[in-house]
Amino acid sequence: MIDPAQSLRGATVAPNSDKPGAPLTAEDAYGLHTFDFRRYWHSFLERIWIVAICVLAGLFLALGNLARTPKLYQAHTVLDVEFEEPSFVPTADYATRTRSMFLASGEALRTIEQNLTNPTLLARVVRSEGLAQEPSQDANKTQNASGVTTFTPREEALGRAMVGMVHPAIRRGTRLIDLYVTHGDPAMAQRLAEAVGREYIRNSIERRASSSEEALRYLLEEEERLKRNLQKSEAAANEYKAKNPDALQLGGSTAATGSQGAGGSRGGLVDDNLQDINTKLAAARGDQIRLEGQLQQVDQIGNNIDALLAIPSITAAPMVAAARSNIIQIEAAITTLALRYKDKHPKMMAAKASLAEAKDKLRQAVLAQPPILRNTLDQIKATEASLQQALQSQQGVAVNLNRTAIGYQELARQAETDRALYESVLRQIKDTNLAKNVKATALSVIEHSPLPTFPVSPRPTRTILLGLLGGLAVGLALVFGVDALDRSIKTVDQAESTLGLPVFAAVPDTTDEGPVSRLKRRSKAFRSSNYRVVVETPESPAAEAFRNLRAALSLLGPEAERKVSLFTSAVPNEGKSFTSANYSLALAQQGYRVLLIDGDLRRPNVHKIFRLPNARNNSDEDSAPGVTDCLVGEADIASAAREIPAGEIQLVDESVEVTGNILAATGGQLFVLAGGRRAPNPAEILAGPFFGQLIAEAATLFDRVVIDSAPILAVSDTLLMMPHVQTVCIVVRAGKTPRPAVRRAITLLAKSGIRPAGLVLNRLRRSRGVGYYYYYDSHGYGKEEGAYSRGYSYHRRSTPDHEGNGA
């Protein structure tokens, strides 16, 4: 007797022929890092209601803001800042030059810009325009004892309130300042704009006049003091000259006394001699320091000609300069000869010999310079010593000559200093007295404000546009934020690029499939909703997706290597049983003898789809054997598998079912092996050899074996089945299953040496963006032409070439 398992391994069932789980290739992972515009576009279309609500909310907020915001008018005045203040008195003092330099800088413009919003200035505007309106306030109390203007608390408060109304702005690249004043009353806005510029100019003139008054007062006081000092110093000089009449002749200053006597000439000669000797001595010391430094460099360099030539004294030596000039001329001649002759030509050889001789002469001249420098240094030291002696001698003469004149010179210099200060103060008093009454400033108004006619705030168009754009931005942020947080798989391309596996079928959501015929809804066999879409709605996109799955799996390899198929998922509620049942029905419709095994021993569902009794729900356990009974040896496949009637498999219509003329056109059969009784230890049962024997036996009895298994991440049952199946398909629920869960499931299969054949995307959305989710699919193609209709009636076509280019 042939062992069924051995027969299955040898002829019918081959090991899982797919390659073991391999990591994603660069092509598979390409979609993980690319920007999918279509994905975001359809995500926007799906959640466009969020965007619409946000846009409407932004519009209502903008309208509410327009309703609450009062109208504001803006007056505009242009101010010009000159480079310097106008003056009718030519002055060149330090203060005037400093202020002119400041006005010419950009800091002056920014300072004026800031001062235009000074609360004190704005309080002056309030007072000048009479905005405070406090008649009880005594006008004589607006200045304190020091003459500084003070303001009432109301004026200060109004001045601070006006800070937000005044907006100065410097025009780029000019010296113009645009002054904007905003107010709810257009006339008041114009009035305040004019008043701010006017009061700033008036305040500048007043501050300048006040400064001039204070400066004049100080200069007058200083003039009196300097006059007294000058009189004292002149009296002291005259008294000293009367007591020492020889003071001018013994070296006194001729500039102080105005005399040209012999003594004065002698004293000047001594001074000139001292200055001349000091100059020569300083030059000699400088030369000595320079030569000593260069000689120190010579000692460190040694005979390095190039380094010696870097020393200025050696380079400037006549012999060295002549030798270098000769070398340059010979090198120029060699360059000229090189254009006509080669290196071996007599003229070239003679020229090179001359160049070598000139370089040797240069070397000799350079090496001869250090002794020359040492001799020069000795001469300089001797000269310095003689100059030092002459200086000491001359200083003794000067001391003797000027000892008597020292006192007079000090008194004379003090008198001249006092006289210069006194005359300078007199000139400043004159200039200040002339300039204090000049009412001019560097700031002027060049453009007055017209009466504003249109409000600047609020701006209805801008406000509404900003509200709409803000709402749109918030809506898009919410839409794309939700999309970014969504970790599920939504489309075929996304599944293939993310998981690196092909998608065999994209099954749309069947909750909104067309109605099933009334007779089939009443029939006992079709009470289970529209789970079996291949039979109940054969013309639907979902049924066509399972026919695509059937075709795709049939093309994976030889038929003998694709007999046993297993459908699993990463997590529960993905549609494994739904996919297994409809795939089995599609195989049976193609004429195969199919066995559908409910391999989920913990939560079996296949018996519910086909309305079959199950041992765990039936009091008589022997009446409904299943997979568990076969695995423990209490039943075999022949007795446990229940055949599904042909009427629940083939495509029939109501009239055929009523007459009972049910024909199995393709001859296919479907058998279901339910879960059976509850297994106390399903993992241990599946780990034994009995499940493999069961699959081997089923492969010999049936053309196709389809297994509905448990989720991979939930339990280990599916991983224990993998060595006994040939094709593994993972069912993924679109828009729900997390990508990490599916990747984890594929990784577990890869560690077991199994690579899934592909994916089935279940419950794809059928709302907006159908082309995005299904891509190249044409739902309902041929539906009106009788394809997969429930009747066998003949549909006459209108024309012979009805298909045309649309086929």
Side-chain angles (χ1 to χ4, degrees), residues 153-390:
R154 182 178 179 84
E155 290 173 342
E156 293 179 352
L158 291 177
R160 289 191 297 268
M162 283 185 60
V163 172
M165 303 179 187
V166 180
H167 305 284
I170 302 173
R171 289 191 187 180
R172 186 184 299 272
T174 67
R175 299 186 62 81
L176 301 179
I177 298 178
D178 293 303
L179 180 62
Y180 300 96
V181 178
T182 306
H183 197 272
D185 184 5
M188 180 59 69
Q190 180 190 25
R191 178 181 171 186
L192 292 177
E194 295 290 340
V196 170
R198 182 177 63 251
E199 287 301 319
Y200 182 84
I201 295 174
R202 184 181 299 172
N203 185 38
S204 299
I205 294 174
E206 291 179 358
R207 285 190 292 108
R208 181 177 179 181
S210 176
S211 300
S212 299
E213 290 288 346
E214 293 179 359
L216 183 60
R217 187 182 307 110
Y218 170 77
L219 289 174
L220 291 174
E221 294 175 357
E222 191 69 11
E223 185 266 340
E224 291 294 333
R225 185 182 67 82
L226 291 176
K227 185 177 180 180
R228 290 193 299 269
N229 292 341
L230 177 59
Q231 292 175 353
K232 291 180 180 179
S233 60
E234 287 181 346
N238 293 330
E239 183 180 358
Y240 186 86
K241 184 172 60 174
K243 292 180 180 180
N244 300 283
D246 296 333
L248 298 179
Q249 297 180 1
L250 295 177
S253 175
T254 58
T257 60
S259 63
Q260 299 292 333
S265 300
R266 187 178 180 185
L269 180 60
V270 172
D271 292 338
D272 294 340
N273 290 335
L274 284 174
Q275 184 176 1
D276 184 48
I277 293 173
N278 282 324
T279 303
K280 292 180 180 181
L281 183 59
R285 288 177 179 174
D287 292 340
Q288 178 184 352
I289 294 173
R290 177 176 57 82
L291 289 178
E292 287 177 349
Q294 292 180 359
L295 286 174
Q296 186 178 3
Q297 293 180 6
V298 169
D299 295 337
Q300 294 176 356
I301 292 172
N303 295 331
N304 189 342
I305 302 302
D306 293 335
L308 290 174
L309 285 174
I311 299 175
S313 296
I314 296 178
T315 304
M319 295 176 58
V320 176
R324 294 183 67 183
S325 177
N326 188 24
I327 290 175
I328 293 173
Q329 293 177 1
I330 295 174
E331 288 179 346
I334 290 175
T335 303
T336 305
L337 292 175
L339 300 176
R340 301 177 59 185
Y341 306 108
K342 295 184 177 180
D343 293 340
K344 300 298 184 179
H345 194 273
K347 291 184 177 182
M348 286 292 294
M349 295 176 65
K352 291 182 178 179
S354 299
L355 179 61
E357 182 180 359
K359 289 183 177 179
D360 185 62
K361 290 182 178 179
L362 175 62
R363 176 181 179 82
Q364 295 176 1
V366 171
L367 295 177
Q369 292 305 312
I372 296 175
L373 293 178
R374 290 186 177 89
N375 293 333
T376 305
L377 178 60
D378 294 338
Q379 295 176 4
I380 291 176
K381 289 182 178 179
T383 303
E384 182 182 354
S386 62
L387 289 175
Q388 187 69 30
Q389 293 177 359

Side-chain angles (χ1 to χ4, degrees), residues 472-486:
L472 178 62
V474 173
L476 292 177
L478 291 176
V479 168
F480 296 135
V482 171
D483 184 79
L485 296 176
D486 188 0

